[in-house]
Amino acid sequence: MSSAVHPVDETLPLGRLTALGLQHVLVMYAGAVAVPLIVGRALNLPPEQVAHLISADLFVCGLVTLIQAWGATQWFGIKLPVMMGVTFAAVAPMVSMAQSTGGHAGAGLIFGAVIGAGVVSILIAPFMSRMLRFFPPVVTGTIIAVIGISLMRVGINWIFGNPVGPTAPNIPNPEHLKWLADAQAAAGAPGSNLPPVPKGFAIVPTIPNPKYADLTGVGISGIVLLTILMIARFGKGFWANISVLLGIAVGGVITAAMGLMDFHKVGSAKWLDVVLPFQIAMPVFDPILILTMTLVMIVVMIESTGMFLALGEMTGKEITPEDLKRGLRTDGLGTLIGGIFNTFPYTSFSQNVGLVAVTGIKSRWVCVAGGVILIVLGVLPKMAALVESLPTVVLGGAGLVMFGMVAATGIRILSKVDFQHNRNNAMIVAVSIGVGMIPLVAPNFRQWMPHSIHPLIESGILLSSLAAVLLNLFFNGAKHDTQASIEAARQAEAH
């Protein structure tokens, strides 16, 4: 091998390249499939469409990884060992959109917001260095902490079940539901003199949900969580890196042995299928939702900036401003492609950046191999159907870890903030987190607000982001210390 070849551009034997690429895929797999599971189930999509979301997500992960690591034209691709995956930072606002408008209508709104945010991200990528001053560590740390806290509700509901109300796990009485169905049928019968049931009339949940907090499910979640903790504690290197994936696998084996998994969907799924654009829903473009997703993407791109610079140091390759622009444009392009293929926003997966440091393998062609593997997995519907068939209690134990790590990342960034000499920073964090908790703690507060601003106030992430940015400007101004923001971004090791 010529000494003139930089380690980043070094090619490896095919066998070793494939094995190292598969290792990168395993490290990111649990995070990659979790997001389509969360959003698909929040939208109440049919199981086969949730499985399609997983396939499309893996396919786009691979496609965008190829663009980022291999490069595409002079505009896209930082050409470093980077694996691209869907960001957890966007999960909370997407779940909020899904809860506000479910089904295919809600899916269309989410995909429209993703496409819009992707276009905006491509356009603003060259200016991100100027915008860093508005997102110092006190702002980015607060936003990421609120994202993690908001996501914890999803993981907890996976463990215990999904209550009807915010806190009360009740369900409608089946006898009442039967009466309402009979009344609707009688009112709609030909020649009936009965008045029709008023639009929106529903039975109020009044009896305890017998499936809520089932001890069997809680026990399985506990085993998954304990498995992850034990592997993280006693596992070394690669095994510790995939502790979440191994914990989910253990939970899957246990639930399958107990007869709690349904493999009919796996049996009926195709062996091979093509992922096409807009297979689930056509995008609907809502300006407020696009703004929400764009704010998330700005935070994501600030994290990516730190990742790219840290990766440049690890690999010994200087990262120029043009390199940064190409890398950040690819975050935007990946998000745009994600919306077109009915998936989600994409960014560089920091777990894989850590794997570069652990293994010492700096070649970007390893990630190119990983991208090819992801594309292959994306066109295997049986694999996606198997993941979709996992009971939510299995994902609950892993969710506590994955979502808690997002909150821990925010706390880690905030640990670098100067609270001793600048007490106003504590005020920024306190108020911003409090404002971000309003939709989480009191989800019905917006019923007294003008309907036109509901999309703006139903996302705790957006409220917290706006509060943190404005309060920081009020107390600290817009300082030009971009190095502090970059150092904070390097602390972000979980999405």
Side-chain angles (χ1 to χ4, degrees), residues 473-494:
L473 285 173
F474 176 71
F475 284 113
N476 297 329
K479 299 179 180 178
H480 290 267
D481 184 11
T482 59
Q483 188 60 35
S485 297
I486 292 172
E487 289 299 325
R490 293 182 187 184
Q491 298 294 321
E493 298 176 355

Side-chain angles (χ1 to χ4, degrees), residues 311-359:
L311 198 54
E313 291 181 0
M314 289 180 196
T315 59
K317 184 173 182 180
E318 181 184 359
I319 306 299
T320 67
E322 287 302 315
D323 291 330
L324 275 180
K325 291 177 184 177
R326 288 197 303 271
L328 295 177
R329 278 197 200 100
T330 307
D331 276 8
L333 178 63
T335 301
L336 172 60
I337 294 173
I340 291 172
F341 280 93
N342 283 176
T343 62
F344 313 109
Y346 289 84
T347 185
S348 55
F349 251 39
S350 51
Q351 297 95 318
N352 296 85
V353 174
L355 187 58
V356 172
V358 170
T359 63

Side-chain angles (χ1 to χ4, degrees), residues 186-187 189-196:
S192 174
N193 293 323
L194 295 174

